């Protein structure tokens, strides 16, 4: 199974998260925001942000923290499409849906021309595997969802095929990140 560090996911933003916050160009849309740790950190840093998640529980948790969030699927119409400064994909959310290229194209539709797409990738740089995951809480279980595990090398290769420009690749605390820039409007 794909594991998620629940204490980090549900806890406050840590020092590594704050390195990501510092790189975000507002306004920021956090795709798959979960309980809103990044939306809260972005708002506290003075950056306008909106979280998007398909889970009503996650959206309610984000809003309880003071982080604005919206319950929607990423493939649905989202507010301010084409006007976000940064699309944020933390906690391996670049793998949502199992099709990394399609998700990056969706991010390109959301950000302004020249906007950033910041992704947290798998720790194994060459990894690019698709799995089916089931999300579980105490009270609910999702239907199986396709999810990719994609490392930085594989992610950069996909990004280049879409004419995204690699701005930065970094690691911190055993976590891997890539910042991409979209130079064209979709």
């Amino acid at each position: 199974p794909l594991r998620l560090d629940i204490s980090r996911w549900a806890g406050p933003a840590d020092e590594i998260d704050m390195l990501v916050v510092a790189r975000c160009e507002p306004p920021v849309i956090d795709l798959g925001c979960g309980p809103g740790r990044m939306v809260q950190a972005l708002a506290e840093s003075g950056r306008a942000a909106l979280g998007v998640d398909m889970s009503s529980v996650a959206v309610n948790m984000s809003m309880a923290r003071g982080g604005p969030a919206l319950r929607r699927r990423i493939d649905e119409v989202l507010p301010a499409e084409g006007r976000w400064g940064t699309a944020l994909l933390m906690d391996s959310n670049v793998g949502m849906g199992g099709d990394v290229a399609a998700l990056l194209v969706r991010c390109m539709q959301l950000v302004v021309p020249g906007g950033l797409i910041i992704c947290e990738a798998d720790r194994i740089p060459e990894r690019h595997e698709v799995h089916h995951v089931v999300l579980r809480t105490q009270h609910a279980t999702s239907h199986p969802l396709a999810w990719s595990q994609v490392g930085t090398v594989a992610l950069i290769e996909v990004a280049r095929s879409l004419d995204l420009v690699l701005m930065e690749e970094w690691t911190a605390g055993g976590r891997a990140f890539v910042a991409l820039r979209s130079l064209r409007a979709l």
Side-chain angles (χ1 to χ4, degrees):
L2 302 175
R3 300 269 181 216
L4 177 64
D5 181 348
I6 296 297
S7 62
R8 180 167 50 90
W9 181 74
D14 62 20
E15 315 79 50
I16 297 163
D17 294 330
M18 295 311 293
L19 293 172
V20 174
V21 167
R23 288 167 166 86
C24 288
E25 297 171 359
V28 181
I29 188 164
D30 182 3
L31 302 171
C33 69
R37 82 173 190 281
M38 294 303 294
V39 178
Q40 179 184 23
L42 287 157
E44 289 174 355
S45 77
R47 291 166 174 84
L50 175 68
V52 176
D53 203 289
M54 63 185 231
S55 164
S56 59
V57 172
V59 167
N60 290 338
M61 290 173 73
S62 181
M63 291 173 50
R65 295 172 96 144
L70 180 63
R71 182 176 182 226
R72 294 254 173 90
R73 294 175 50 92
I74 294 168
D75 57 358
E76 293 178 317
V77 174
L78 296 173
E81 290 201 19
R83 297 192 306 259
W84 295 98
T86 303
L88 186 59
L89 294 162
M90 293 293 287
D91 304 314
S92 300
N93 283 347
V94 70
M96 288 186 296
D99 187 339
V100 174
L103 184 55
L104 290 176
V105 166
R106 180 65 176 127
C107 290
M108 292 167 70
Q109 295 167 344
L110 294 171
V111 299
V112 297
L116 279 178
I117 302 168
I118 299 179
C119 309
E120 183 171 357
D122 192 86
R123 288 179 269 198
I124 300 171
E126 293 80 17
R127 177 177 278 160
H128 194 172
E129 303 168 354
V130 179
H131 303 274
H132 284 84
V133 299
V134 174
L135 305 176
R136 290 188 178 99
T137 67
Q138 285 181 315
H139 308 290
T141 300
S142 74
H143 295 287
L145 307 166
W147 205 286
S148 290
Q149 284 183 284
V150 61
T152 55
V153 170
L155 177 57
I156 291 166
E157 185 176 308
V158 172
R160 284 191 177 128
S161 75
L162 300 171
D163 294 329
L164 288 165
V165 176
L166 174 64
M167 298 305 295
E168 186 178 9
E169 176 184 356
W170 74 98
T171 59
R175 295 165 64 189
F177 301 90
V178 170
L180 307 164
R181 192 166 297 278
S182 172
L183 297 181
R184 60 188 168 110
L186 290 181

